[in-house]
Each structure stands twice: as C-alpha cells, then as structure tokens.
Amino acid sequence: QMLAIAPNKETECRETIKKICDSFAVSPIARDILETASHTNGGPGGIEVAKHAKHANNDPYFLQPMEGVDGTGYRASWWTQFYCILWRSWLSVLKDPMLVKVRLLQTAMVASLIGSIYFGQVLDQDGVMNINGSLFLFLTNMTFQNVFAVINVFSAELPVFLREKRSRLYRVDTYFLGKTIAELPLFIAVPFVFTSITYPMIGLKAGVSHYLTTLFIVTLVANVSTSFGYLISCASSSISMALSVGPP
C-alpha cells in the first residue's frame, strides 16, 4: 500500500517511495545485504570473476543454496508454515470485527424469528409437525448461511495463493488448515447463538444433555456446510462462478 502509485497522486506517491527507498538504502539491513552480495561476488570485480569462473567451474563465486532448505524445496518446516498461515489468517479475521458482529447479529435475529414462529410447542399432533418444521429450518439455515459465508474466501485469495505457492513459501495443506482453523471459532459461535435462542423458545425437550446433543449436531451441520462452501470456492475460478454454482 505504501509503495503503490495511486491515480491522480503520482507525484506525491513517487516522493514517498523515494523517501522509503532512501531510508532503506542507509539502513543496517541494506548494508548487510550489500556486504553479503559483495562477498559472494568476490568484490567489485565479482561479475568479471564470475564470468571466468563459469568456464572454470569455480563454484565458490556463485550463490550457494539457502541455509535450511530441505529436500522438498521449502525453507520453513511444516509447523512453521502452518503457524505463520494460521497467524496471518487470524489477523485477517481480527481486522474485520464488524463482519463478525454482523454475522452474530444476523444469526440472533433469524433465531429469534424462527423461535417466535414456533414459540411454545406442545407434544400433540400439531406440535410434533411444527417441531419437525422447526428442525428443518435449523438445518437449512445453518447450511445456506455458512455455505455463502465462505463461498468467496478462496476465490478472492486465489491469485495471492498461487503466487506464494509458486514461490515455495508454503504447502497447500498448511494454507488450507491454517485458513480454516482461524475461522473455526466463528463457525462454533454461530451455531451456539442460534441453538441457544431457538431451543428454549420452541420448547424442545428439556435437559442439558438434550440441549448439548442438539448443539453438537447443529455445529457439525454448520461445519460440514462450511467445508462444502470451501469446496465450491476452491473449485471456482472466480467469485461470480462460485455464487452461480453454490445454490444448485
């Protein structure tokens, strides 16, 4: 963002970029890089020396492999990659707290609406049919809400992911696990809010064990739906394609 040249602000942006580059040029990091490069190339005449060394197969004049690179070509271990992706994904969740609040508020409003429609059911013939209808709404709401919550996640980040994957920064499995686990707390909180509101309002079977069983099943449904949304997102080349494929 700092190094981008914004439209209609070219002059200001170029001045800012020049200041940043000048500051970096006199920084300790830049001096270390320059010393390393000079040492590797054999001093100011390193280029000419390297040319002659190329014909003489004199390897010390060429850049050596990076330290710590394993046989798979990744510099970091699996756990390091996973930790960094998880931390980055978690920061991205924290940077958008309004989205979390809106999701929870939306869930509470829909749960209150369903609870109001099916409020205070009794166990007679009509009550059993109504409870069946309410349980159906439990499933459909948790399914569609969570599918469309994540259907654009990987489609939007696909260009960045492909670039970083080609650069051998991390594996596919570490990226997927880190991304999904970072968003897992929200996909546990949403079923909890939904079930906690609708369960007592509808008058479903009393008892903590029955409530926890329902909460467990609804949470599983929500997370299976999330996984299905991830599947559509990964298989789609764009957000519009994902939104078109998702509903059917």
Side-chain angles (χ1 to χ4, degrees):
Q1 184 178 359
M2 292 299 299
L3 296 176
I5 298 178
N8 302 323
K9 295 182 180 178
E10 287 83 358
T11 305
E12 299 174 15
C13 291
R14 291 185 190 281
E15 291 177 358
T16 304
I17 293 171
K18 188 175 185 306
K19 290 179 183 177
I20 294 174
C21 293
D22 291 343
S23 299
F24 174 77
V26 297
S27 67
I29 297 177
R31 287 197 294 270
D32 292 342
I33 293 174
L34 184 61
E35 289 175 5
T36 303
S38 300
H39 173 73
T40 304
N41 289 329
I47 296 176
E48 290 299 320
V49 173
K51 288 180 180 178
H52 294 295
K54 184 176 182 181
H55 300 289
N57 292 324
N58 198 353
D59 291 339
Y61 291 106
F62 295 96
L63 289 174
Q64 300 301 311
M66 293 185 296
E67 295 179 5
V69 177
D70 57 15
T72 61
Y74 296 101
R75 187 166 191 175
S77 65
W78 191 96
W79 284 107
T80 304
Q81 296 175 34
F82 173 71
Y83 172 78
C84 292
I85 293 293
L86 179 62
W87 179 244
R88 185 176 74 173
S89 302
W90 178 245
L91 287 180
S92 115
V93 172
L94 295 181
K95 284 179 180 177
D96 201 356
M98 184 56 66
L99 180 62
V100 177
K101 293 177 183 177
V102 168
R103 287 285 311 280
L104 294 177
L105 180 62
Q106 173 194 1
T107 302
M109 291 175 63
V110 173
S112 301
L113 179 62
I114 295 175
S116 301
I117 294 172
Y118 293 97
F119 185 78
Q121 297 298 317
V122 293
L123 284 178
D124 54 17
Q125 184 63 34
D126 292 336
V128 170
M129 297 300 294
N130 291 337
I131 288 173
N132 282 341
S134 67
L135 294 179
F136 174 76
L137 286 177
F138 266 58
L139 300 179
T140 54
N141 183 70
M142 282 295 100
T143 300
F144 281 93
Q145 180 179 345
N146 289 288
V147 165
F148 285 101
V150 300
I151 205 168
N152 65 337
V153 168
F154 291 107
S155 300
E157 294 187 3
L158 191 61
V160 176
F161 165 73
L162 291 176
R163 184 177 71 240
E164 294 178 341
K165 178 68 174 66
R166 280 194 294 265
S167 300
R168 310 291 285 175
L169 292 181
Y170 47 73
R171 297 169 173 81
V172 177
D173 54 348
T174 55
Y175 172 76
F176 183 80
L177 288 173
K179 189 76 180 167
T180 51
I181 292 175
E183 297 180 349
L184 188 61
L186 180 61
F187 296 121
I188 294 176
V190 167
F192 174 77
V193 171
F194 183 81
T195 308
S196 299
I197 294 174
T198 52
Y199 198 92
M201 288 184 71
I202 296 172
L204 298 177
K205 193 169 183 179
V208 176
S209 61
H210 302 301
Y211 163 75
L212 292 178
T213 302
T214 306
L215 177 61
F216 177 68
I217 293 172
V218 173
T219 303
L220 286 181
V221 170
N223 282 276
V224 168
S225 304
T226 301
S227 299
F228 182 67
Y230 284 144
L231 171 66
I232 296 173
S233 182
C234 291
S236 304
S237 57
S238 64
I239 296 176
S240 58
M241 178 65 73
L243 292 173
S244 300
V245 172

